[in-house]
Amino acid sequence: MKTTTHSDTILIIDFGSQVTQLIARRIREAGVFCEIVPFQLAEDAFARIKPKAVILSGGPASTNDIGSPRAPQIIFESGIPVLGICYGQMALCVQMGGVAEASSHREFGRAFVEVQKDCPLFDGMWTTGQRHQVWMSHGDRVISLPKGFEVYAKSEGSPFAIFGDAARKMYGLMFHPEVVHTPDGARLLQNFVHKVAGIKGDWSMHAYREHAVEAIRSQVGSGKVICALSGGVDSSVAALLIHEAVGDQLTCILVDHGLMRKNEASDVVAMFNEHYNLPLIRVDAADRFIDALEGEVDPEKKRKTIGRLFIEVFEEEAEKLGGADFLAQGTLYPDVIESVSFTGGPSVTIKSHHNVGGLPERMNMKLVEPLRELFKDEVRVLGKELGLPDSFIGRHPFPGPGLAIRCPGGLSREKLEILREADAIYLDEIRKAGLYDAIWQAFAVLLPVQTVGVMGDGRTYEFVCALRAVTSIDGMTADFYPYDMEFLGRAATRIINEVKGINRVVYDVTSKPPGTIEWE
């Protein structure tokens, strides 16, 4: 992952924890920029970033395993502050000369630590003798501390739940401070950042904007840029930021691929024409995309086909414009995290439709991704900084594959139209109920299931429609929105009555933990 360089950056080394990105969120909330890198790339990243502090994440391995992950030794020799979390605590201990082993008293879930001694991590919050709730998730434990380290807190199963060397500014936590189940966890991380590492916490979106504009100008120079614009907050913010940097060197292209929501393409063009004087080309490519996708069942092949066709369209439009040197897109940090495998795990193909790894070699264009260091909520803050109206900033996310992945099973024009109408009614009811802004993302799904039903005096054999609505902040985790039954009844009744082809509606109440894909 290639990113720009910020002063006062914290490097987070990922050992494979499902909640590593939450560490980054807490650090950003403390007003400090940070970057996550897999442990395999940590040494190069350390040299490139020159961080002011390092955080070692949790992970599924045991330090007793042969070949288990380690942090680059240069980090411990550099003299900068280090914080180890869960597995990161074990790695810190072992690499500094201590001993860890498999524990007969594993701790998973809520636990309590008892403070043994004051330290900078506890400043303004914990004192000696107090007990505090934390969230544990470990099967190993430290049994012997490295030379110079001492115990600051213990738990029932971890005599060294918090240890550290104040002189060398190195600390280890057996629990996860980044999760909400550790109530004081965010403050512990803030104390590490501000009290231990001495970082002021003056990173702001205004500063990011200025930094990004200069980075874009440096990358683009006098080249021409085409921007993949969908009308969502990500691509809209990316377009405005690039336009601020290079002006008329930018041309936005909206590909109407026939997989968008009802009237979506026309609405996006109208919004941009009303608010901004950006060059915008609308390409009607619906037949091209749907013909290529018709009958396709495999969700991964759908995504790959859509990604390939997008590239082909952009190539053709660039040629019409006399060539382009760069393709811009609204890639976010979650896209980057979920599109690569940090530890060889299942995250390899979570978001395969994003070109985060680069463009095909045949293209004479390079990617411009000015938002790839930001989480979704940070992009919305940047949008406000750029003056985007609330109608842009608050739009629900709508991924590039669009309705194709919300129509599991074989794709057809008829099924797309059925889904488009049901989705439009669903969103209309959400807006009428005043719930749109309370929900992070809502959409309808046409299931590859048909059921027998009775409508009036006749039998029907039609599709089942699933409704989904989730709340989220960063786009990495989500929980279902708790509708009342009156709303669901009203929305379902309208869909069944008004959309020919659907005779049953269900509500999806699953959540999205880190690393979990959406409907496919």
Side-chain angles (χ1 to χ4, degrees):
M1 297 185 302
K2 185 180 293 184
T3 56
T4 52
T5 302
H6 298 261
S7 61
D8 293 345
T9 295
I10 288 182
L11 175 64
I12 301 172
I13 298 178
D14 183 25
F15 289 120
S17 169
Q18 289 188 335
V19 291
T20 298
Q21 76 283 351
L22 294 182
I23 302 174
R25 293 297 303 120
R26 302 295 172 256
I27 300 303
R28 299 273 183 97
E29 289 166 2
V32 176
F33 189 79
C34 59
E35 181 176 337
I36 301 172
V37 299
F39 68 90
Q40 302 97 321
L41 305 179
E43 187 165 356
D44 289 342
F46 183 77
R48 170 176 58 86
I49 296 171
K50 297 178 176 59
K52 294 296 176 67
V54 171
I55 297 177
L56 311 177
S57 85
S62 168
T63 51
N64 295 301
D65 295 339
I66 297 175
S68 58
R70 292 290 188 271
Q73 198 64 31
I74 189 174
I75 289 173
F76 305 112
E77 299 168 354
S78 66
I80 67 170
V82 178
L83 177 67
I85 295 173
C86 198
Y87 179 86
Q89 187 207 44
M90 302 291 176
L92 170 62
C93 172
V94 171
Q95 291 187 246
M96 292 298 292
V99 180
E101 67 175 11
S103 174
S104 59
H105 188 106
R106 300 183 303 170
E107 291 180 298
F108 293 96
R110 186 174 61 178
F112 291 87
V113 297
E114 182 179 330
V115 179
Q116 304 297 297
K117 185 178 180 179
D118 291 338
C119 78
L121 289 179
F122 308 154
D123 188 62
M125 48 183 291
W126 290 2
T127 58
T128 302
Q130 292 182 339
R131 292 177 76 248
H132 295 278
Q133 179 183 317
V134 298
W135 190 260
M136 295 280 192
S137 180
H138 68 93
D140 291 358
R141 68 173 181 174
V142 174
I143 60 169
S144 176
L145 290 178
K147 185 178 180 180
F149 284 72
E150 56 186 328
V151 180
Y152 291 108
K154 66 180 182 179
S155 70
E156 183 179 349
S158 301
F160 305 106
I162 301 177
F163 65 70
D165 182 333
R168 286 185 283 185
K169 298 183 178 181
M170 293 185 181
Y171 296 91
L173 308 178
M174 189 64 266
F175 54 89
H176 288 275
E178 66 273 30
V179 301
V180 296
H181 310 296
T182 300
D184 295 324
R187 292 187 62 188
L188 284 170
L189 289 171
Q190 288 172 16
N191 279 344
F192 174 73
V193 169
H194 301 314
K195 305 295 183 180
V196 177
I199 302 175
K200 293 181 179 179
D202 55 2
W203 182 75
S204 66
M205 201 50 68
H206 179 74
Y208 185 90
R209 173 185 180 178
E210 293 180 342
H211 177 88
V213 166
E214 289 304 314
I216 293 166
R217 287 173 180 163
S218 176
Q219 180 185 7
V220 171
S222 59
K224 293 182 179 180
V225 185
I226 57 174
C227 179
L229 182 69
S230 68
V233 64
D234 306 339
S235 61
S236 298
V237 170
L240 281 184
L241 196 60
I242 296 168
H243 188 257
E244 180 175 309
V246 299
D248 292 341
Q249 294 168 238
L250 170 70
T251 300
C252 296
I253 297 176
L254 185 144
V255 179
D256 185 358
H257 45 54
L259 305 171
M260 301 179 82
R261 286 173 151 156
K262 188 175 183 178
N263 301 324
E264 185 88 355
S266 298
D267 290 345
V268 169
V269 171
M271 282 194 300
F272 263 84
N273 288 340
E274 179 182 349
H275 292 282
Y276 300 101
N277 187 28
L278 297 181
L280 174 58
I281 298 172
R282 176 179 176 177
V283 180
D284 184 358
D287 288 341
R288 181 175 185 172
F289 276 76
I290 296 174
D291 286 347
L293 291 166
E294 194 150 15
E296 182 57 68
V297 174
D298 188 322
E300 187 62 15
K301 289 182 179 178
K302 288 180 184 178
R303 287 175 175 267
K304 293 292 188 183
T305 299
I306 291 166
R308 172 178 58 80
L309 293 175
F310 264 124
I311 292 299
E312 291 178 4
V313 171
F314 290 135
E315 282 183 300
E316 294 164 7
E317 294 303 314
E319 187 175 349
K320 293 177 185 177
L321 292 168
D325 304 291
F326 298 91
L327 171 64
Q329 59 184 23
T331 303
L332 305 189
Y333 203 29
D335 301 327
V336 176
I337 294 171
E338 294 188 346
S339 301
V340 298
S341 177
F342 279 4
T343 58
S347 62
V348 176
T349 58
I350 287 176
K351 287 192 174 178
S352 55
H353 64 283
H354 288 274
N355 301 303
V356 294
L359 297 171
E361 291 184 5
R362 70 172 188 275
M363 295 187 73
N364 295 317
M365 284 185 275
K366 297 179 180 179
L367 280 173
V368 177
E369 298 173 310
L371 310 180
R372 66 181 283 132
E373 296 175 334
L374 300 181
F375 289 91
K376 173 70 78 170
D377 57 316
E378 294 174 323
V379 173
R380 287 180 167 143
V381 175
L382 179 57
K384 289 184 178 181
E385 170 74 23
L386 291 166
L388 269 173
D390 290 341
S391 58
F392 279 78
I393 294 170
R395 284 168 66 85
H396 289 185
F398 191 70
L403 298 182
I405 59 169
R406 293 173 183 172
C407 196
L411 205 62
S412 70
R413 283 175 169 78
E414 178 188 12
K415 290 171 70 175
L416 285 172
E417 284 307 311
I418 292 172
L419 176 57
R420 211 182 320 269
E421 291 299 320
D423 186 74
I425 291 170
Y426 180 37
L427 290 183
D428 183 53
E429 286 297 323
I430 288 173
R431 288 190 172 95
K432 285 179 178 178
L435 299 175
Y436 190 85
D437 292 337
I439 296 169
W440 183 76
Q441 184 185 48
F443 55 84
V445 178
L446 192 68
L447 300 181
V449 176
Q450 289 179 280
T451 64
V452 174
V454 177
M455 300 179 71
D457 295 323
R459 285 163 59 88
T460 62
Y461 187 62
E462 296 178 329
F463 288 103
V464 177
C465 174
L467 305 181
R468 181 161 168 77
V470 296
T471 57
S472 183
I473 294 176
D474 52 25
M476 293 294 291
T477 59
D479 201 2
F480 68 90
Y481 184 81
Y483 286 129
D484 60 49
M485 292 304 297
E486 182 179 353
F487 171 84
L488 288 174
R490 187 166 60 248
T493 298
R494 273 198 65 189
I495 290 171
I496 291 170
N497 286 346
E498 298 178 31
V499 182
K500 185 176 177 57
I502 294 175
N503 67 3
R504 188 161 309 201
V505 175
V506 298
Y507 183 54
D508 173 19
V509 295
T510 56
S511 299
K512 180 191 177 190
T516 303
I517 54 179
E518 299 175 20
W519 270 97
E520 295 286 358

